Amino acid sequence: QVHLMESGGGSVTIGGSLRLSCAASGDVISQHYMAWFRQAAGKGREAVAAISSASSYTHYSDAVQGRFTISRYNAGTTATTYLQMNSLKPEDTGIYYCAAVRKYGGTWRDTGSYNYWGQGTQVTVSS
């Protein structure tokens, strides 16, 4: 069983920065792919970024490429995944969720590819 908990959300002005954290625990969590998704009010959940277990590969959506950076730190039965968000825009507003999976059954962008989810943290970007 894997447990995920996000933190670091908040309110920021346009152009500002935030760093989200996802604290993960569980057996072989260091072997799991980790990802960040977000969901704006009234919209579906969309993939933001993903990172492989050993940080060998990262993926970003076109909307955040060049502005967001995903990273992770593995330590035994725990792992922390970060999402550094720079040059924030109002369209980045939403609830950000952390997700994990040991082996992809689909693409990194698919919510159905992940079997563990956190509760989410709110990010609000305004002028």
Side-chain angles (χ1 to χ4, degrees):
Q1 188 69 21
V2 170
H3 179 69
L4 306 176
M5 182 176 292
E6 303 93 339
S7 62
S11 296
V12 64
T13 55
I14 296 171
S17 298
L18 280 175
R19 188 175 82 155
L20 305 182
S21 298
C22 172
S25 61
D27 291 342
V28 297
I29 186 61
S30 63
Q31 298 178 26
H32 282 63
Y33 289 86
M34 303 294 296
W36 286 96
F37 283 72
R38 67 186 182 189
Q39 186 166 16
K43 296 188 177 181
R45 197 169 295 190
E46 66 169 348
V48 174
I51 188 167
S52 61
S53 57
S55 304
S56 301
Y57 303 100
T58 57
H59 304 282
Y60 296 94
S61 69
D62 290 344
V64 308
Q65 179 74 50
R67 299 188 297 122
F68 291 11
T69 303
I70 189 170
S71 61
R72 68 184 291 167
Y73 175 72
N74 297 328
T77 59
T78 65
T80 303
T81 303
Y82 303 98
L83 186 68
Q84 178 66 45
M85 306 186 295
N86 299 328
S87 303
L88 283 162
K89 306 175 181 180
E91 51 264 43
D92 295 319
T93 295
I95 300 174
Y96 282 69
Y97 297 92
C98 180
V101 66
R102 179 104 181 250
K103 183 177 180 180
Y104 280 122
T107 74
W108 75 274
R109 300 176 186 273
D110 298 330
T111 57
S113 294
Y114 301 87
N115 47 12
Y116 299 105
W117 292 87
Q119 293 300 306
T121 185
Q122 176 71 44
V123 171
T124 303
V125 184
S126 59
S127 57

